[in-house]
């Protein structure tokens, strides 16, 4: 038993070492081009400007409006980057990977705390951390940390802050604030709200326990102030606080959009032009629509690696396969996440997680784009944090050898994918 545990501990340590090595080495040997949009915006925000007129002309995802250049992305990642600007200037780099690494250290701490609040034992927490940070598309997003990928790291931070607060002190205004901040990065993150509403609703039901009701019954007033009314008023107050916290970042986002485009609901994507034919043709079917679901689900679940150098090549060359730039399915990238289906659906926390996954998937899989270029299905990072919590429960205790093997397989695949994505970007 001791020998087996030592073997798994060594394999775990080797996996972590390899993951960390690629993060540190990549910026020196595989610099990312055109991935510093948020650095430009952060520099301009410090000067009180919302435009990025000095951004190079060949950068993609830049909106020109009334003679100025703007970014269509949510502004929070640029705000997060501001404290790092002096260090980046000192180091002579604009590579966001160092900001991404700092943020990931925070995310590791937050997820470890959440898993502890869920009551999971240390060994399962450790392997669940490895699964998320090394065995999902989060890792490729960290290694590259270019604009489009860095946003997912920020959303993850907001999610874990909100979940930890919901499981801990339950200050609902803070929960709303954190989800609102996630929405300031990616609007799809707002669809995580059902997770928190469901937990709050069950908390309110516990407040209606018979013993508490009997105690409060003796304190009711002559005006008919019944315990039931007190509970209902308390529940409404909590939802109001949740909404208040949520609205603060969204109002800021609306003002940010209004200051740029004279429309609080316009982020800039409405003025964006597409340069890739397949995406342009897909958008002709609608920005959102049921017609986009089959392709998104295929990329999310089933898309496999593709031949190298191409399927049309007369002979294949080493390494014979490569990731599809359109994405790869979870069955190949993160097989251990399917342990989520072993979590007991009768548990309220499990139900809340599945609600978040399902609701977030609605705008993701009905969207005309699938996230090209990427490793894995990066839009899945909008709901994979909740899927990870389910998988952590489903891993069981003691964990099986198969579970550990699948996590390690995912780590190997994601190291391969992160290296490939670094060369592409």
């Amino acid at each position: 038993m001791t020998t087996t545990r030592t073997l798994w501990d060594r394999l775990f340590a080797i996996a972590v070492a390899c993951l960390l090595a690629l993060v540190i080495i990549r910026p020196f040997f595989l610099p990312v081009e055109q991935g510093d949009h948020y650095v430009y915006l952060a520099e301009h925000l410090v000067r009180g400007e919302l435009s990025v007129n000095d951004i190079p002309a060949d950068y993609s995802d830049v909106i020109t409006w009334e003679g100025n250049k703007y970014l269509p992305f949510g502004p929070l990642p640029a705000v997060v980057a501001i404290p790092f600007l002096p260090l980046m200037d000192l180091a002579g780099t604009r590579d966001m990977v160092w900001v991404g690494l700092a943020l990931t250290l925070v995310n590791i701490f937050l997820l470890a705390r959440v898993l502890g609040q869920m009551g999971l034992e240390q060994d399962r927490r450790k392997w669940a951390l490895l699964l998320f940070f090394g065995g999902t598309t989060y890792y490729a997003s960290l290694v590259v940390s270019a604009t489009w990928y860095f946003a997912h790291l920020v959303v993850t931070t907001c999610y874990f802050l909100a979940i930890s607060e919901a499981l801990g002190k339950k200050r609902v205004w803070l929960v709303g604030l954190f989800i609102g901040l996630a929405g300031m990065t990616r609007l799809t993150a707002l669809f995580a709200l059902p997770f928190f509403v469901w937990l709050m609703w069950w908390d309110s039901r516990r407040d209606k326990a018979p013993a508490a009701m009997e105690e409060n019954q003796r304190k009711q007033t002559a005006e008919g102030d019944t315990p039931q009314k007190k509970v209902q008023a308390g529940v409404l107050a909590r939802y109001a606080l949740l909404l208040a916290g949520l609205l603060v970042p969204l109002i800021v986002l609306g003002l940010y959009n209004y200051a740029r485009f004279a429309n609080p609901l316009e982020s800039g994507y409405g003025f964006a032009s597409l340069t890739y034919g397949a995406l342009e043709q897909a958008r002709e079917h609608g920005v959102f629509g049921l017609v986009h679901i089959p392709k998104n689900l295929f990329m999310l679940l089933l898309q496999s690696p593709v031949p190298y150098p191409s399927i049309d090549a007369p002979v294949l060359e080493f390494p014979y396969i490569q990731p599809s730039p359109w994405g790869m399915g979870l069955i190949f990238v993160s097989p251990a996440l399917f342990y989520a289906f072993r979590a007991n659906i009768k548990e309220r926390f499990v139900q809340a997680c599945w609600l978040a996954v399902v609701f977030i998937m609605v705008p993701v899989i009905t969207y005309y784009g699938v996230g090209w270029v990427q490793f894995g299905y990066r839009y899945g990072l909008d709901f994979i944090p909740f899927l990870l919590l389910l998988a952590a429960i489903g891993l069981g205790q003691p964990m099986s050898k198969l579970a550990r093997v699948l996590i390690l397989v995912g780590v190997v695949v994601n190291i391969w994918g992160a290296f490939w994505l670094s060369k592409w970007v």
Side-chain angles (χ1 to χ4, degrees), residues 172-173 200 230-244:
V172 291
W173 67 272
M200 287 172 56
K230 289 183 178 180
V231 170
Q232 291 172 357
V235 172
L236 291 176
R238 286 169 62 81
Y239 283 126
L241 286 172
L242 177 71
L243 181 62

Side-chain angles (χ1 to χ4, degrees), residues 24-40:
I24 295 174
I25 292 173
R26 194 279 302 159
F28 297 104
F29 296 96
L30 293 169
V32 171
E33 299 178 1
Q34 296 194 15
D36 56 348
H37 296 67
Y38 287 129
V39 178
Y40 280 100

Side-chain angles (χ1 to χ4, degrees), residues 200 202-209 212-213 216 231 235 238:
M200 287 172 56
W202 278 100
D203 283 342
S204 69
R205 286 181 63 88
R206 284 196 294 267
D207 291 339
K208 298 180 182 180
M213 294 282 286
N216 289 332
V231 170
V235 172
R238 286 169 62 81

Side-chain angles (χ1 to χ4, degrees), residues 73-92:
F73 315 116
L76 183 63
V79 176
V80 171
I82 288 176
F84 295 90
L85 290 179
L87 294 175
M88 296 175 75
D89 289 339
L90 187 63

Side-chain angles (χ1 to χ4, degrees), residues 149 276 299 303-307 309 322-328 370-378 420-421 424:
Y149 314 101
Y276 195 83
M299 293 300 173
Q303 173 64 57
S304 65
V306 295
Q322 63 181 338
S324 164
W326 288 101
M328 275 175 51
V370 295
W372 189 84
V373 170
Q374 60 187 345
F375 173 72
Y377 185 82
R378 71 175 176 87
W420 169 84
L421 186 62
W424 185 290

Side-chain angles (χ1 to χ4, degrees), residues 6 17 56 72 113 116 134 147 157 207 220 237 287 325 335 342 372 380 390:
T6 301
R113 185 167 67 180
T147 304
T157 305
D207 291 339
Q220 60 182 310
V287 175
R342 295 188 60 186
W372 189 84
L390 291 167

Side-chain angles (χ1 to χ4, degrees), residues 69 101 129 134 186 267 374:
K69 295 180 180 179
L101 182 57
L129 288 168
R186 289 182 54 79
S267 67
Q374 60 187 345

Side-chain angles (χ1 to χ4, degrees), residues 297-304 328-332:
L297 284 181
F298 180 81
M299 293 300 173
L300 168 64
L301 298 173
L302 301 175
Q303 173 64 57
S304 65
M328 275 175 51
L330 288 178
I331 193 171
F332 299 100

